[in-house]
Amino acid sequence: MYITDELPEGYQVYQIRITAEDGPHLPAEFRPLPYLEEEFEVVATSPQDAHERAEFAHSLRLSGQLTCYFINGEVHLDERF
């Protein structure tokens, strides 16, 4: 879907940025890359909907990193937990 296309009623484009940082909780042999980041857009009905869609849309190989989701520039915590 292109941003110039008309979106269905109730939907909007959300800017997503995901960061993942290595933490001291993992032994050295299991530590992943120290810092990962990805940015993209999703079409959703709410920030929570965007968060859930972003979980499946990102391409980061996460394995124990401290992960943070930014939606439209603000930190977003998953409301399911």
Side-chain angles (χ1 to χ4, degrees), residues 4-37:
T4 56
D5 289 346
E6 188 175 318
L7 296 174
E9 187 174 330
Y11 285 81
Q12 68 181 55
V13 176
Y14 288 88
Q15 304 292 324
I16 306 293
R17 183 167 64 98
I18 302 173
T19 61
E21 297 181 59
D22 183 16
H25 59 283
L26 294 174
E29 63 270 15
F30 294 121
R31 286 204 171 156
L33 295 172
Y35 184 80
L36 301 169
E37 182 174 333

Side-chain angles (χ1 to χ4, degrees), residues 34-49:
Y35 184 80
L36 301 169
E37 182 174 333
E38 184 175 8
E39 292 186 41
F40 54 93
E41 298 174 339
V42 297
V43 175
T45 58
S46 68
Q48 179 61 31
D49 186 29

Side-chain angles (χ1 to χ4, degrees), residues 36 67 80:
L36 301 169
T67 306
R80 295 175 294 176

